[in-house]
């Protein structure tokens, strides 16, 4: 008789520790049942990693599965693994029936990522049990401190459980207690305990491997040689002795009388790791009644070929086994310490295997979706940075930090309230489930010619990006966005629309933001004054959080619609929520198609995607490491012309999220590209390249920067619809970078400071009808300079504009940046003038340059300017308004509000010790030309 088959005559069931699809489909599993008397199969993450991740035999199945629709990595894995588990269970079904449920099982492991989380393990086991739908399934749960209470609860629910990673006799007794207590709960609840099966998988050879290492360090070589290779079997003998004792007595007998069956010991890790040991040692010496031995194929082949049967071997020389363990303890080899470490190592090794498996699946998914060429290419610029990036990436993998991020673990950041601001992680699925096109049909039916969004910051920048990238949609309203209190800007927008054919979208999360509210006041009055308009509210919709003051006002004014944002999403992370979706629908975009590309990226950045294949983690690590270890905190954003507007949104996301506590990233969008020698070594470049529509000059410039040693992140965007994916990629990257930098990426404390100062000034104006007087430092050709006392003293006294500007820019040192803060109309002419000024400053000083139009930058990069590193040199530009517009219901005008915002902004900069100077233009256009001339002279 086959030696393996003879094990059954000794009361032991041979199981196979191996599973893959070809083994099932080629008939090898069935053949082993018939030839060897095989009675069960175990699997683990390492087995599936080798089967799925290191071969191509699952490629067709994966391709077919994804052809039905994109899936996340965990779902792909489970689809492939569960198919194998079901097929193996079906082949083992006759064995299960012949043994009356004692054998014929196949095991599937709970995710090792959950090994230290009781609740998650219970939920995972129940989900897998339902998904496999086979009564001869054993769900594997580790014998960790968190796993043991899960075992009890799962047994009480009637599940079959294989307890894995069991090394210690003491822990084994806890496992038995969990099993018995779970059965008692099940019986008390009226359940059938006879249908519950369980095995306790005692890992064997790993114990000898670790003990032998310590024995090799003993001074007494003879003792070490005598004890080598004996600890594991001695430990198993004692465990078996405890098994017989624990499953006896009145408590167990009551359960046995109700049909319960003992939880058998299963010997696992039975391949001999030491080549000097018999290759069948962990089979021959562990034969015992009512036990299981699960063997890898090589060990099974060896035992079949030359194994020896000794019935009851596990019970021989129990006294000798106890003596062996006692001597080990006396010689300082602590089995308690070793077994505890082995559990931790086992969890880590299985998690490592899952990482390898999931990375392989993520790569295969990526290739099927996008081809061999990766959408993200981080070029470190130096061997030192490459090593630092690899080190941080490995930390994120080993510590499972992306899973902690998705789980809302606030300790990943500062431990305050970050967990309350992560609604953006799942918003895409929620929006897709909420019929995102419903509002669009209503808008189209009403025949609007224009859509005007009134907002500020995160609620408006995202829709603006989408509108500029996609352009007007045929048959749909033209989209406009107003996020300024500049009277000229308001007038220009009003002249571009037809008031009685315009849908106004008032967008504000809290409902208390000043700018959207006063813009609402103005345009509501203007629409109401149009002849023939009976109810102005019907031309307005609101996007706001539930219960906000804006929602209340919308009801009072009979708005046509109120769309709700998610309170758990901050404004700058809200672009894929209603704050972005409603405007996108209003402008006629296929919102579902847009969101689905966002969902594709969400899956790519998911908690189940290891860092090396996770484009959000990889990008965030590059940003965080570049800033914290190499002083490269100036994120220079370069985008193909078709994606140019993306930079403004990204500036806000990065600056407002990371610029605080004297740390952070300083993003730069729209700075003209130059040769490598024009840049200091304080930058990392992010290049968004639109496939098929890239600018050769940009590509050449980026290549030159890379060759010069600057780190570059090249992001290839498949088409404009994938901009939603970029929104999500950068949100993840920002959260990751925030963790590395060590800040809360979801608050904006210094933005609030400017708002409060503006509020003080406007309230003061309402009472006094004037803003506080100011005395200029200097006047020349229609320009006046202002500064607080500290900055004025640092600048010194000069008799020309160029002299003051030279002194001011002379305060910029290596690693600093220069920011132009322009409280003027944001139009093409002003943008061109200030872009030229930026290039000149950069080329002459090698300082990074930023440009922000007020007041919108206050809700964006303003956070980093005030709360980030004190490396900015600020030139604020204000002007006399050629005309002004009153704000209905208030004594102030939009011009006064803008002036108050500029004053408040400058005051906070000064309070934070920033190097700041304000230049006021009497005439905007003439003053801009004169300012440009003065800067050129100052830098000459």
């Amino acid at each position: 008789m086959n030696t393996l088959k003879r094990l059954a005559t000794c009361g032991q069931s041979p199981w196979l520790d191996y599973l893959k699809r070809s083994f099932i489909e080629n008939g090898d599993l069935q053949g082993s049942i018939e030839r060897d008397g095989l009675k069960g199969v175990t699997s683990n993450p390492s087995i599936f990693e080798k089967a799925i991740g290191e071969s191509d035999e699952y490629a067709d199945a994966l391709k077919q599965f994804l052809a039905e629709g994109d899936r996340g990595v965990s779902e792909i894995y489970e689809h492939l693994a569960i198919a194998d588990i079901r097929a193996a269970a079906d082949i083992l079904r006759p064995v299960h029936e012949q043994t009356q449920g004692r054998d014929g099982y196949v095991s599937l492991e709970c995710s090792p990522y959950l090994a230290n989380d009781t609740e998650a393990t219970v939920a995972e086991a129940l989900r897998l049990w339902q998904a496999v739908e086979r009564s001869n399934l054993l769900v594997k749960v580790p014998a960790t401190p968190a796993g043991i209470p899960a075992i009890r609860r799962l047994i009480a629910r009637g599940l079959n459980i294989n307890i894995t990673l069991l090394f210690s006799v003491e822990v084994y007794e806890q496992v038995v207690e969990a099993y018995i207590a779970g059965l008692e709960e099940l019986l008390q609840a009226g359940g059938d305990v006879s249908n519950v099966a369980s095995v306790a998988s005692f890992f064997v050879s790993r114990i000898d491997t670790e003990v032998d290492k310590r024995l090799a360090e003993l001074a007494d070589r003879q003792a070490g040689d005598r004890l080598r290779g004996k600890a594991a079997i001695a430990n198993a003998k004692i465990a078996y002795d405890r098994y017989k004792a624990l499953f006896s007595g009145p408590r167990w007998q009551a359960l046995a009388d109700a049909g319960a069956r003992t939880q058998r010991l299963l010997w696992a890790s039975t391949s001999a790791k030491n080549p000097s040991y018999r290759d069948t040692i962990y089979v021959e010496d562990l034969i015992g009644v009512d036990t299981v031995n699960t063997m890898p194929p090589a060990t099974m082949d060896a035992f079949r070929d030359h194994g020896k049967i000794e019935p009851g071997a596990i019970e021989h020389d129990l006294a000798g086994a106890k003596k062996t363990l006692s001597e080990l303890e006396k010689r300082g080899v602590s089995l308690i310490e070793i077994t505890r470490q082995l559990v931790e190592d086992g969890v880590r090794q299985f998690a490592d295997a899952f990482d390898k498996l999931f990375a392989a699946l993520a790569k295969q998914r990526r290739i099927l979706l996008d081809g061999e060429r990766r959408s993200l290419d981080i070029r470190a610029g130096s061997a030192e940075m490459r090593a630092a990036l690899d080190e941080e990436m490995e930390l994120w993998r080993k510590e499972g930090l992306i899973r902690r991020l998705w789980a809302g673990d606030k300790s990943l950041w500062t431990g305050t309230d970050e967990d309350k601001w992560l609604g953006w992680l799942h918003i895409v699925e929620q929006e897709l489930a909420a019929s995102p096109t419903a509002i669009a049909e209503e808008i189209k039916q009403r025949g609007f010619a224009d859509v005007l969004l009134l907002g500020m910051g995160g609620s408006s920048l995202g829709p603006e990006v989408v509108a500029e990238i996609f352009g007007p949609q045929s048959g749909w309203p033209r989209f406009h966005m107003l996020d300024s209190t500049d009277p000229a800007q308001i007038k220009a927008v009003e002249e571009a629309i037809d008031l009685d054919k315009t849908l106004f979208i008032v967008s504000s999360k809290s409902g208390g933001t000043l700018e959207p509210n006063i813009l609402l006041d103005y345009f509501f009055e203007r629409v109401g004054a149009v002849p023939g308009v009976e109810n102005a509210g019907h031309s307005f919709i609101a996007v706001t959080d539930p219960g906000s003051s804006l929602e209340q006002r919308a009801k009072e004014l009979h708005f046509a619609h109120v769309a709700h944002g998610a309170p758990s999403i901050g404004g700058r992370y809200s672009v894929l929520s209603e704050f972005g979706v409603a405007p996108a629908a209003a402008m006629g975009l296929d919102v579902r198609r847009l969101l689905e590309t966002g969902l594709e990226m969400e899956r790519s950045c998911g908690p189940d995607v290891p860092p090396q294949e996770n484009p959000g983690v990889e990008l965030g690590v590059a940003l965080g490491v570049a800033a914290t270890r190499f002083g490269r905190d100036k994120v220079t954003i370069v985008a193909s012309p078709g994606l140019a507007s993306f930079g403004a949104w990204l500036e806000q996301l990065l600056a407002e999220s990371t610029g605080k506590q004297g740390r952070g990233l300083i993003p730069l969008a729209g700075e003209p590209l130059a040769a490598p020698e024009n840049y200091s070594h304080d930058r990392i470049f992010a290049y968004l390249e639109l496939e098929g529509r890239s600018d050769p000059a940009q590509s050449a410039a980026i290549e030159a920067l890379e060759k010069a040693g600057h780190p570059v992140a090249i992001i290839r965007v498949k088409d404009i619809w994938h901009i939603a994916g970029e929104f999500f990629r950068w949100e993840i990257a920002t959260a990751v970078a925030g963790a590395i930098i060590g800040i809360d990426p979801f608050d904006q404390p210094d933005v609030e400071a400017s708002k409060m100062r503006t509020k003080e000034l406007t309230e003061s104006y309402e009472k006094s009808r004037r803003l506080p007087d100011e005395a200029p430092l200097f006047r020349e050709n229609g320009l006046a300079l202002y500064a607080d006392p500290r900055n004025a003293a640092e600048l010194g006294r000069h008799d020309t504009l160029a002299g003051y500007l030279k002194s001011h820019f002379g305060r910029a040192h290596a690693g600093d940046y220069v920011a132009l803060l322009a409280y003027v109309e944001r139009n093409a002419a002003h943008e061109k003038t200030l872009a030229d000024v930026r290039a000149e400053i950069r080329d002459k000083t090698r300082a990074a340059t930023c440009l922000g139009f007020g007041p919108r930058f206050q809700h964006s990069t303003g956070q980093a300017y005030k709360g980030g590193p004190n490396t900015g040199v600020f030139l604020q530009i204000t002007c006399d308004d050629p005309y002004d517009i009153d704000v209905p219901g208030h004594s102030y005008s939009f011009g006064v509000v803008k002036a108050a915002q500029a004053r408040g902004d400058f005051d906070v900069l000064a309070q934070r010790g920033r190097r700041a100077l304000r230049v006021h233009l009497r005439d905007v256009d003439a003053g801009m030309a004169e300012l440009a001339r003065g800067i050129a002279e100052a830098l000459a």
Side-chain angles (χ1 to χ4, degrees):
M1 181 186 291
N2 183 317
T3 310
L4 285 164
K5 273 193 171 182
R6 287 176 57 200
L7 287 173
T9 65
C10 302
Q12 186 172 74
S13 299
W15 287 13
L16 178 65
D17 196 28
Y18 176 77
L19 187 65
K20 72 174 183 176
R21 187 154 299 182
S22 59
F23 182 76
I24 299 168
E25 294 179 344
N26 294 343
D28 294 334
L29 175 58
Q30 183 63 47
S32 188
I33 293 170
E34 296 169 0
R35 180 183 66 249
D36 301 324
L38 185 72
K39 296 188 183 305
V41 170
T42 54
S43 67
N44 61 47
S46 298
I47 288 172
F48 274 118
E49 187 273 318
K50 289 180 172 62
I52 298 174
E54 297 183 8
S55 73
D56 60 0
E57 70 175 75
Y58 290 82
D60 290 342
L62 192 154
K63 185 175 182 179
Q64 182 179 351
F65 185 51
L66 289 183
E68 300 169 5
D70 184 34
R71 304 292 204 286
V73 169
S74 290
E75 192 174 352
I76 294 170
Y77 157 70
E78 289 189 6
H79 172 76
L80 299 175
I82 287 175
D84 286 358
I85 294 294
R86 285 175 172 171
D90 291 344
I91 292 171
L92 285 163
R93 168 64 62 181
V95 176
H96 187 66
E97 293 172 351
Q98 291 161 13
T99 60
Q100 297 181 323
R102 195 57 165 160
D103 280 305
Y105 291 96
V106 60
S107 297
L108 178 62
E109 189 123 12
C110 285
S111 168
Y113 299 150
L114 309 177
N116 297 310
D117 186 329
T118 301
E119 295 302 323
T121 296
V122 170
E124 170 96 338
L126 290 169
R127 187 179 60 79
L128 291 175
W129 178 259
Q130 293 170 359
V132 174
E133 293 183 304
R134 298 294 187 273
S135 60
N136 58 330
L137 170 71
L138 283 167
V139 179
K140 295 179 78 172
V141 175
T144 58
I148 291 171
I151 293 163
R152 173 174 177 165
R153 289 167 58 181
L154 292 167
I155 293 295
R157 296 286 293 270
L159 272 67
N160 301 328
I161 302 298
N162 177 345
I163 293 85
T164 185
L165 293 179
L166 188 53
F167 298 92
S168 158
V169 173
E170 289 76 13
V171 174
Y172 168 59
E173 294 187 358
Q174 297 173 36
V175 166
V176 173
E177 172 59 29
Y179 175 64
I180 292 175
L183 288 176
E184 289 171 336
E185 287 183 36
L186 178 62
L187 184 63
Q188 187 175 6
D192 186 354
V193 294
S194 68
N195 288 331
V196 178
S198 181
V199 292
S201 295
F202 227 91
F203 282 54
V204 187
S205 66
R206 296 188 193 183
I207 292 177
D208 275 343
T209 299
E210 290 303 314
V211 169
D212 289 356
K213 289 178 184 176
R214 289 161 174 76
L215 291 174
E217 298 172 358
L218 291 181
D220 188 340
R221 295 293 182 87
Q222 289 184 342
D225 291 342
R226 185 176 66 254
L227 293 168
R228 189 172 294 111
K230 294 183 177 180
I233 290 172
N235 195 48
K237 288 176 182 289
I238 293 171
Y240 186 73
D241 184 59
R242 293 301 301 143
Y243 162 78
K244 293 188 297 182
L246 291 167
F247 288 100
S248 63
R251 184 185 181 194
W252 172 250
Q253 191 58 51
L255 289 168
D257 291 344
R261 291 172 292 189
T262 59
Q263 179 190 61
R264 289 182 293 174
L265 278 163
L266 179 150
W267 310 123
S269 183
T270 55
S271 61
K273 307 296 190 293
N274 189 328
S276 67
Y277 296 165
R278 299 191 322 275
D279 55 3
T280 56
I281 183 175
Y282 300 116
V283 182
E284 294 170 349
D285 290 5
L286 298 177
I287 295 172
V289 174
D290 218 19
T291 62
V292 178
N293 194 309
T294 186
M295 301 168 241
T299 303
M300 187 166 277
D301 290 343
F303 190 77
R304 185 192 305 110
D305 178 71
H306 52 265
K308 297 179 181 179
I309 297 285
E310 185 175 350
I314 189 66
E315 298 185 81
H316 295 177
D317 195 16
L318 179 62
K322 292 179 179 179
K323 182 179 178 182
T324 294
L325 298 187
S326 176
E327 187 173 356
L328 285 169
E329 289 291 335
K330 288 179 182 177
R331 295 187 179 277
V333 180
S334 171
L335 208 59
I336 293 175
E337 176 189 327
I338 289 171
T339 54
R340 184 184 301 117
Q341 185 62 48
L342 283 170
V343 174
E344 295 176 6
D345 291 346
V347 170
R348 189 191 70 252
Q349 289 166 10
F350 280 169
D352 289 348
F354 243 40
D355 284 345
K356 289 179 66 177
L357 170 60
F358 281 10
L361 289 174
K363 181 178 180 179
Q364 293 176 52
R365 170 183 173 271
R366 169 174 58 79
I367 291 171
L368 287 171
L369 290 174
D370 299 325
E372 291 284 350
R373 195 182 189 201
R374 297 187 64 174
S375 70
L376 175 64
D377 185 4
I378 303 292
R379 301 177 183 179
S382 69
E384 292 80 8
M385 183 173 285
R386 181 73 269 166
L389 295 180
D390 291 344
E391 178 187 342
E392 187 69 25
M393 290 280 282
E394 176 59 15
L395 175 68
W396 276 75
R397 185 203 66 78
K398 187 176 180 180
E399 299 297 325
L401 300 184
I402 187 60
R403 295 191 294 277
R404 286 175 54 191
L405 188 157
W406 278 84
D409 182 352
K410 61 186 179 181
S411 68
L412 188 63
W413 297 285
T414 67
T416 50
D417 68 345
E418 291 92 342
D419 54 321
K420 298 177 181 178
W421 295 101
L422 294 170
W424 53 274
L425 288 170
H426 299 285
I427 193 61
V428 178
E429 304 101 300
Q430 296 168 23
E431 289 291 344
L432 281 168
S435 186
T437 59
I439 191 174
E441 293 306 317
E442 180 183 349
I443 290 168
K444 192 168 186 180
Q445 289 173 8
R446 293 184 60 187
F448 290 109
D450 297 281
V451 170
L452 174 56
L453 188 149
L454 309 175
M456 182 56 70
S459 64
S460 57
L461 286 171
E464 181 184 41
V465 168
V466 171
E468 292 193 15
I469 287 176
F470 284 90
Q473 302 297 297
S474 178
W476 287 85
R478 297 181 301 272
F479 181 84
H480 312 265
M481 192 272 287
L482 184 57
D483 62 349
S484 178
T485 53
D486 183 86
Q489 190 112 28
I490 297 169
K491 181 183 179 184
V493 170
E494 185 173 356
E495 289 176 348
I497 64 174
D498 188 343
L499 282 172
D500 63 346
K501 293 182 179 178
T502 296
L503 174 70
F504 295 86
I505 302 176
V506 187
S507 187
S508 173
K509 261 191 72 64
S510 66
T513 305
L514 173 68
E515 296 90 348
N517 279 316
I518 60 177
L519 289 169
L520 166 59
D521 293 337
Y522 176 70
F523 281 103
F524 196 88
E525 182 179 86
R526 296 289 292 139
V527 173
V530 174
V533 175
E534 297 181 1
N535 189 331
H538 289 174
S539 295
F540 287 77
I541 66 173
V543 186
T544 189
D545 282 358
S548 74
S549 58
L550 177 57
E551 179 176 23
Q552 182 60 38
R553 195 170 180 205
K555 291 176 180 178
E556 293 170 357
L557 297 176
H558 305 291
F559 276 23
H561 184 73
V562 175
H564 287 139
S568 59
I569 303 177
R572 58 187 175 275
Y573 291 85
S574 68
V575 63
L576 296 175
S577 74
E578 280 298 303
F579 287 97
V581 169
M587 64 181 81
L589 290 181
D590 183 344
V591 174
R592 181 165 293 277
R593 180 179 177 184
L594 191 66
L595 287 171
E596 283 172 351
T597 68
L599 184 58
E600 182 181 304
M601 182 60 75
E602 179 190 313
R603 292 177 176 132
S604 296
C605 298
D608 50 6
V609 183
Q612 68 265 38
E613 282 293 332
N614 191 310
V617 174
E618 188 177 7
L619 179 58
V621 164
L623 297 173
V625 168
T628 57
R629 299 200 204 178
F630 295 88
R632 290 183 177 270
D633 58 353
K634 316 301 187 304
V635 183
T636 306
I637 304 157
V638 182
S640 293
L643 301 174
S645 61
F646 186 77
W649 175 85
L650 185 51
E651 275 190 318
Q652 184 202 18
L653 178 71
L654 292 176
E656 198 170 26
S657 296
T658 68
K660 55 203 73 169
Q661 299 176 26
R663 289 170 275 178
L665 302 171
I666 305 299
L668 320 169
E671 185 185 59
L673 275 169
E677 58 267 21
N678 293 77
Y679 298 98
S680 295
H681 298 293
D682 59 349
R683 301 200 189 217
I684 178 171
F685 292 83
Y687 176 37
L688 286 87
E689 181 182 27
L690 183 57
E691 290 188 3
R693 293 170 58 184
S694 62
D695 179 347
Q698 283 183 336
S699 300
I702 291 296
E703 184 177 352
L705 288 164
E706 180 203 345
K707 288 181 178 178
H710 289 284
V712 176
I714 298 177
I715 298 170
R716 299 179 181 92
V717 184
K718 186 185 297 185
D719 55 45
I720 57 175
W721 289 99
H722 281 76
I723 196 64
E726 293 310 311
F727 287 137
F728 193 85
R729 183 208 303 265
W730 280 96
E731 288 171 350
I732 286 284
T734 302
V736 169
I740 294 170
I741 294 168
I743 47 80
D744 177 352
F746 309 115
D747 70 353
Q748 50 283 331
D750 301 284
V751 169
E752 301 304 323
S754 289
K755 288 181 180 179
M756 292 303 298
R757 181 59 180 145
T758 297
K759 184 179 180 182
E760 291 171 8
L761 289 167
T762 53
E763 288 180 348
S764 173
Y765 185 92
E766 294 251 56
K767 297 173 183 176
S768 65
R769 300 298 191 271
R770 60 184 298 172
L771 292 173
D773 292 332
E774 292 181 297
L777 296 175
F778 178 78
R779 293 182 187 273
E780 179 180 283
N781 296 335
L783 277 64
L785 301 180
Y786 296 85
D788 63 288
R790 177 185 56 80
N791 273 297
E794 289 181 9
L795 288 168
R797 298 185 66 83
H798 307 276
D799 55 8
T800 64
L801 171 66
Y804 276 99
L805 292 173
K806 182 176 182 178
S807 177
H808 185 50
F809 293 133
R811 296 195 284 173
H813 309 296
D816 288 345
Y817 65 96
V818 175
L820 307 176
L821 313 179
Y823 286 81
V824 300
E825 181 184 0
R826 184 168 61 93
N827 59 31
H830 293 161
E831 287 179 337
K832 173 66 168 61
T833 297
L834 293 173
D836 291 343
V837 167
R838 290 179 73 181
E840 186 155 18
I841 293 171
R842 188 265 325 276
D843 294 345
K844 295 295 176 59
T845 67
R846 299 185 74 214
T849 65
C850 309
L851 170 62
F853 282 89
R856 78 185 217 150
F857 80 82
Q858 285 192 18
H859 301 257
S860 172
T861 51
Q863 169 61 46
Y865 298 159
K866 302 173 186 71
N870 190 359
T871 53
V873 175
F874 302 94
L875 183 65
Q876 189 187 74
I877 305 168
T878 58
C879 67
D880 285 347
D881 295 310
Y883 50 83
D884 207 346
I885 300 173
D886 290 335
V887 177
H890 297 277
S891 61
Y892 51 69
S893 64
F894 281 101
V896 168
V897 171
K898 185 183 73 165
Q901 289 172 317
R903 295 265 195 104
D905 179 39
F906 194 94
D907 287 350
V908 176
L909 285 170
Q911 290 167 8
R912 302 297 162 86
R914 270 35 179 177
R915 291 159 284 177
L917 173 66
R918 176 161 73 95
V919 55
H920 186 80
L921 317 177
R922 189 168 58 204
D923 178 272
V924 182
D925 294 332
M928 290 285 278
E930 181 65 18
L931 176 61
R933 183 201 61 76
I935 290 174
E937 183 179 340
L939 298 173

